């Protein structure tokens, strides 16, 4: 395990413990996805993010590395909740009419008194709208804005397997970060070419494939948290279900669940894992 991977794992475990305080203990199960990012759903997600219990948890989250005290963190929620979409397994499988991405959760931006930022992932669970993960940085919001400026009306989405962000619209897929540029080039590719690439990369790792049935690290897992991440705090509000199931993401490589963790960038633009 590399030092970057170790730091990412530690951050995920810290976030898992803090989110567990919001939701209590619950058996692992998939987190239902919000079907659409309606105004009503955005308002419900914002309400969950701005709840007193959430803000108290955020104070501990921002204070976890000693940058600010719990009492002085004074977190606030800024702006509206934004939809966050991931590469859709149905698209990879070649399902007729399947969109390139599917909505996974809504994210609200939290900011502490010293300028730290975090994304609160919210989803509608059996217990209602809940925060299911806390992630450092502001990727969701920066790329939503960048995608809107680069391709107005397009769908911003993440390919979690390589931590790449794109915007798709019409018959084009354009890169939004360096990982996406490495995958599709600086000018992007046609939707058909993008499909061919992801089918080649992930087509044999979909649900029901021999790869997934062998229990290897990866496959489009549909339920349960990755081992060691969010244990004991599953879909009732814990982050594990979103990381492993709700995101429908491939954890390629020997690191397994760790490979699913998102690279986060600080407010200054540097990356950390």
């Amino acid at each position: 395990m590399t030092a970057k991977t170790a730091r990412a794992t530690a951050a995920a475990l810290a976030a898992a413990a803090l989110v567990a305080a919001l939701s209590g203990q619950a058996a692992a199960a998939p987190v239902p996805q919000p079907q659409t990012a309606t105004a009503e759903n955005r308002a419900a997600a914002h309400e969950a993010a701005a709840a007193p219990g959430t803000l108290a948890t955020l104070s501990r989250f921002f204070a976890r590395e000693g940058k600010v005290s719990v009492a002085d963190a004074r977190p606030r929620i800024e702006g509206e909740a934004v939809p966050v979409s991931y590469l859709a397994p149905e698209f990879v499988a070649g399902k007729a009419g399947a969109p390139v991405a599917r909505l996974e959760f809504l994210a609200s931006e939290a900011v502490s008194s010293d300028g730290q930022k975090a994304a609160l992932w919210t989803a509608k669970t059996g217990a209602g709208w809940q925060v299911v993960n806390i992630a450092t940085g502001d990727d969701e919001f920066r790329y939503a804005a960048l995608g809107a400026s680069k391709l107005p009306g397009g769908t911003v989405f993440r390919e979690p397997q390589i931590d790449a962000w794109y915007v798709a619209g019409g018959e084009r897929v354009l890169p939004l970060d360096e990982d996406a540029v490495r995958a599709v080039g600086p000018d992007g590719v046609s939707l058909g070419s993008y499909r061919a690439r992801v089918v080649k990369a992930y087509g044999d790792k979909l649900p029901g494939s021999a790869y997934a049935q062998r229990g290897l690290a990866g496959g489009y897992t549909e339920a349960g948290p990755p081992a060691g991440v969010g244990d004991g705090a599953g879909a009732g509000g814990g982050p594990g279900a979103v990381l492993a199931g709700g995101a429908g993401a491939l954890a390629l490589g020997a690191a397994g669940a760790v490979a699913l963790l998102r690279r986060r960038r600080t407010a200054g633009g540097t990356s950390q894992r």
Side-chain angles (χ1 to χ4, degrees):
M1 181 182 292
T2 66
K4 285 183 178 180
T5 298
R7 285 196 298 272
T9 305
L13 291 172
L18 287 167
V19 175
L22 287 175
S23 59
Q25 301 298 307
V31 173
Q33 297 166 285
Q35 297 302 306
T36 57
T38 62
E40 181 181 4
N41 284 344
R42 287 174 187 253
H46 180 85
E47 184 176 354
T54 304
L55 296 179
T57 298
L58 276 170
S59 293
R60 299 195 298 276
F61 180 80
F62 285 130
R64 72 195 185 283
E65 294 179 351
K67 296 178 181 179
V68 66
S69 71
V70 173
D72 290 336
R74 299 191 301 278
R76 64 187 185 276
I77 305 301
E78 292 196 342
E80 293 184 342
V82 301
V84 180
S85 298
Y86 281 6
L87 173 64
E90 297 85 0
F91 179 81
V92 177
K95 183 178 179 181
V100 65
R102 69 181 187 188
L103 181 64
E104 294 296 339
F105 53 88
L106 300 178
S108 295
E109 185 172 21
V111 183
S112 69
S113 61
D114 66 337
Q116 294 182 71
K117 294 182 178 181
L120 295 172
W121 299 3
T122 51
K124 189 175 183 180
T125 73
W129 282 90
Q130 292 186 331
V131 174
V132 295
N133 191 36
I134 302 174
T136 59
D138 61 352
D139 287 8
E140 294 82 0
F141 318 103
R142 289 190 301 108
Y143 291 124
L146 179 59
S149 65
K150 196 168 186 178
L151 189 58
T155 298
V156 174
F157 71 98
R158 180 173 179 256
E159 184 183 333
Q161 299 82 356
I162 60 171
D163 189 34
W165 288 86
Y166 309 87
V167 59
E171 292 298 316
R172 297 294 296 174
V173 176
L174 305 180
L176 296 179
D177 69 354
E178 65 270 21
D179 297 297
V181 169
R182 282 193 289 270
V184 302
D187 298 323
V189 293
S190 69
L191 187 63
S193 294
Y194 181 73
R195 185 195 295 271
R197 190 187 74 78
V198 296
V199 166
K200 181 178 179 180
Y202 316 126
D204 61 346
K205 300 172 181 65
L206 292 164
S209 67
Y211 181 90
Q213 290 175 355
R214 289 199 303 271
L216 297 175
Y220 275 85
T221 55
E222 296 295 341
V229 179
D231 291 345
V242 168
L243 288 171
L250 289 163
L252 300 177
V258 173
L260 214 58
L261 300 179
R262 12 204 344 253
R263 183 175 63 210
R264 309 300 302 179
R265 292 175 177 81
T266 65
T270 58
S271 62
Q272 56 185 11
R273 252 190 164 120

